[in-house]
Amino acid sequence: MSNSDIHHRESHGNHPMSLIAFGLLLIGAALSAMWLITLADLPANQTMNITYGVLALGCLVSTALIYRHLTSHLHHSPVMPDNTDAEIERYLAKVR
C-alpha cells in the first residue's frame, strides 16, 4: 500500500542542514578559541587575530541563520528529530 511516485526517502527526522550547521558551530567554537589565544599576543599577531575573529563570527552567524531558516521557514526542529505524533501522521499520510 505504498505510493510508487514518491521520489525521496524519509528514514529519520533529521534535516541534512542540521549536520552542516552543527559542523559550522564546532568550527566556529574552535576558531573562537584560536581568536582568544591570539588576543593575548595582540601587537605581534594582529592579522591572525582579525582573521580568526572574522572566521569565527562568520561560522557562528551562518549557524544561527541555518537554524533560524530550519525553524521558521521549514517548521523543522534543527536540534531534535521530528518524531512527534503529528510528524508520524504526516509521514503515514504521505506514503499511504
Side-chain angles (χ1 to χ4, degrees):
M1 300 287 246
S2 67
N3 192 353
S4 63
D5 54 358
I6 293 178
H7 296 293
H8 82 231
R9 288 182 9 194
E10 293 187 26
S11 60
H12 55 77
N14 296 326
H15 196 278
M17 286 303 291
S18 294
L19 181 62
I20 293 171
F22 181 68
L24 283 172
L25 183 66
L26 292 177
I27 292 169
L31 288 170
S32 295
M34 295 301 292
W35 172 73
L36 188 60
I37 289 169
T38 58
L39 192 61
D41 192 23
L42 191 57
N45 283 335
Q46 186 173 5
T47 57
M48 289 305 292
N49 187 298
I50 292 171
T51 302
Y52 285 139
V54 168
L55 289 174
L57 184 64
C59 286
L60 296 175
V61 167
S62 297
T63 299
L65 289 173
I66 290 171
Y67 281 168
R68 184 180 150 265
H69 180 74
L70 287 174
T71 304
S72 63
H73 296 290
L74 299 180
H75 304 291
H76 193 287
S77 173
V79 182
M80 298 296 294
D82 287 336
N83 294 331
T84 60
D85 292 336
E87 183 65 18
I88 291 170
E89 288 299 320
R90 184 199 66 78
Y91 174 75
L92 290 176
K94 188 175 183 179
V95 298
R96 285 186 187 164

